[in-house]
Amino acid sequence: MSEKRKITLKDIAHALNISPSTASRALNGYHSISDETIRQVKDYAEKHNYVPNALAVNFRKNRTSLIGLVVPHIVHHFFSTTISGVIETAKKHGYHVLVSQSGDVKNGEVFACKTLLGIGVDGLIISVSNETIEADHLQDFLDEGKPIVQFDKITDQIISPKVVVDDFNGAYQAVKNLIENGYRKIAHLSGRMEVKNAQGRFQGYKKAIEDHGLEFREEWVKGCWDILEQEGFDFTKELMESPNPPDAIFCITDLVALGSMKYLQSAGYDLPSQVGLMGFSNWMLSEYITPNLSSVHQHGFEMGEKATEILIDLIKKHEFGADELIELKTELIVRQSSQKR
Amino acid sequence: MSEKRKITLKDIAHALNISPSTASRALNGYHSISDETIRQVKDYAEKHNYVPNALAVNFRKNRTSLIGLVVPHIVHHFFSTTISGVIETAKKHGYHVLVSQSGDVKNGEVFACKTLLGIGVDGLIISVSNETIEADHLQDFLDEGKPIVQFDKITDQIISPKVVVDDFNGAYQAVKNLIENGYRKIAHLSGRMEVKNAQGRFQGYKKAIEDHGLEFREEWVKGCWDILEQEGFDFTKELMESPNPPDAIFCITDLVALGSMKYLQSAGYDLPSQVGLMGFSNWMLSEYITPNLSSVHQHGFEMGEKATEILIDLIKKHEFGADELIELKTELIVRQSSQKR
DNA sequence: CTGTTAGCGCTTTCAG
DNA sequence: CTGAAAGCGCTAACAG
């Protein structure tokens, strides 16, 4: 296997009888070089299709133009969407992305971070795992002068900008929609209250209920531990078989809503006339099932985009950024499942 | 923003009164170094948590330990699965992955490849776009001595190993299953015959029909141009309203099968007792809809894994590999939609 | 406007 | 078993 030998700056300089530094300056558009020289160098470079050795440049400048991205899972509609946003935005700014998955466990995350740091990424974008309580592995980046931006699943253990979805408002709008469609007894299948998203969605649900003069009942709120379809099924059964069953259910996630829907249909309830249903996250699924599931769309691509813009800005300014929380607006997608009539 | 200064090989050497080369050799496990020295160096390195400067090492060795991955779309269940397989496998071998998407258009693909080549990846894994007829941008890699492995969507324009799914057998098994479940008049919603996958699935379908002594009818085969849900709906309507309607439909894709299912349900057919349905690709969806859709699973993770193993092997051996086709087995996932009884 | 010099951190001959 | 020295390709003082 034989490779074309690549031409170097030195070769250009030699051929043109100038010094390598002059050639370098000519190519990189310094103003203190005669137009004539610049023309010559550029011509020669073009003709011999000179490509600067990225390795050498990076080594010299001590930067890689690489940014690390760590998510719990790659095979996941929301995260793959954010990954796409990060990659496309990075591309626009001349950066490239190394994607890793933590598997949503601490060890995986630590390993990914250590690796990324070893490679020498210029900065990190991360959505932390459920198990991330302590964050030394993140602090390491800051200690080496590399900024971090967190998104979606965040921890307060380090100081960094954080991009999240406005769960509170998203939930509020979702429940408001159910109310406006005539539902009055709205239950909520929520998640673990330690998780910020679950907390925010619950608060939005509660506020919407109260603002509209409806009754808030503890027993209409069920906490899904693992956010599974089965949990949706089981809790819905529980709710509907209780003495005071709800007439609508707001689910923390589309998957839970699916489980809920399956129970309701299996038990003979008509959707959405008898029971209304609302999901969250607008998983692809929601537009394919029958009846279509109303849901709250979290702009994943824009989230990746935003996080990346902040990070690259910090890298360029050689700063860490404030410990701020940027909340992105959600979008209510009204489909059949929440429209009583 | 202040950074901890990182310790270098020279520092270690200086502290231990040895030369940098000895330190280097000690750390990299050369045998011509006394155990004593090795111990000392390793100890010191550990204590001061020395991390080799990856940039310098790569520069020196003229390799990046980076591999490029180009897929049509990142936000796509099958592709994100393969991406995951590539990343995990690369990790195991000490490589890292730069993921790009072509958007399934030629321009995007060319841009991604040029960028990746510029960064200096050690090799490329690619699933080409629908528009890729000519492949100079891929040849460029080979010309620079960087191996390529293709997967799923492949082109014959360059010589390289190719990892694909065994569409023929997958389709054959799928149709055989329908037959074994008592269906006799099996239609096929296929794709464009220029696309290899569509071709293979069609052939498998036809062979299974013929092998079991069933009748092959041209009018039971419909070509979906864009592989859309709507096409599944429309063609199924056409089929069922024809004078000789089928009693089962094998769809080129789960999405098409979903459209098919929607039409059948809306027209009052009972599934699977009146009409059997079989998809392909085992999209997540298939296990959530009612009735669950039988489908052919393409091991995406294993596909990424296989492609990566081949590539890394080639990189290490400094070879390009033969122009061979590796066909991965599919797996029939039997759910409700294909079980008549 | 341009050349000289030095060096980024590491590995690898070549000599002992 | 170890050290000295050179150099990967590029850029950035510094000096004219």
Side-chain angles (χ1 to χ4, degrees), chain A residues 284 288, chain B residues 77-78 254-255 280-287 295:
Chain A
M284 207 161 240
Y288 292 128
Chain B
H77 186 253
F78 174 69
D254 285 358
L255 191 60
F280 202 110
S281 73
N282 193 34
W283 197 24
M284 208 161 240
L285 188 61
S286 47
E287 58 179 303
S295 190

Side-chain angles (χ1 to χ4, degrees), chain B residues 9 21 24 30 50 53 60:
Chain B
L9 257 192
S21 27
S24 166
Y30 279 56
Y50 163 74
N53 180 326
R60 183 59 232 266

